[in-house]
């Protein structure tokens, strides 16, 4: 355990009262360069280092994916209709999950 401990809830954060999409959108707006995740530069050689994916990049990717889904899924009048996705186990999964939420759809992974 580190010498500096973190106390929850963080000041000013409304835990349990926001959905993940709004949290990511706010973070992309307020702190666009803050790191969401770090991925290896070369998956075969992790000693090569890592590069950060920011909240802004995550939100931009989710918005782009939402537009793609909007144009490629059949129209529906019902909220939270489900669609399936199977693909490489990479960042596409969380991006598609966020995109689905932005469109009020569910993705079955």
């Amino acid at each position: 355990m580190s010498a500096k401990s973190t106390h929850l809830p963080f000041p000013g954060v409304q835990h349990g009262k926001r959905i993940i999409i709004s949290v990511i959108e706010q973070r992309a707006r307020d702190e666009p360069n803050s790191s969401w995740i770090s991925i290896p530069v070369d998956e075969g050689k992790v000693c090569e280092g890592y590069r950060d994916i920011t909240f802004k990049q995550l939100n931009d990717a989710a918005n782009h994916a939402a537009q793609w889904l909007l144009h490629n899924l059949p129209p529906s009048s019902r909220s939270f209709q489900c669609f399936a996705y199977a693909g490489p186990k990479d960042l596409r999964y969380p991006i598609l999950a966020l995109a689905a939420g932005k469109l009020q759809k569910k993705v079955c992974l």
Side-chain angles (χ1 to χ4, degrees), residues 4 7 10-11 13 32 35 37 69 72 79 86 88 98 104 106 108:
K4 182 180 178 183
H7 298 284
F10 294 120
V13 176
S35 183
I37 194 170
L69 288 172
N72 288 284
S79 294
L98 289 169
Q104 293 188 340
K106 295 184 290 187
C108 178

Side-chain angles (χ1 to χ4, degrees), residues 24-42:
I24 290 168
E25 288 174 342
Q26 181 180 355
R27 190 83 181 260
R29 229 182 4 259
D30 297 346
E31 303 173 55
N33 295 321
S34 62
S35 183
W36 168 61
I37 194 170
S38 295
I39 59 172
V41 173
D42 182 347

Side-chain angles (χ1 to χ4, degrees), residues 1 3 9-10 14 18 21-22 30 34 36 39 46 51-52 55-56 61 65-66 68 72 74 85-86 97 99 103:
M1 188 168 186
F10 294 120
Q14 298 174 339
R18 303 176 301 165
I21 296 164
S22 63
D30 297 346
S34 62
W36 168 61
I39 59 172
V46 293
R51 73 179 184 100
D52 291 339
F55 278 93
K56 182 176 183 335
W68 185 87
N72 288 284
Y85 173 76
L103 297 175

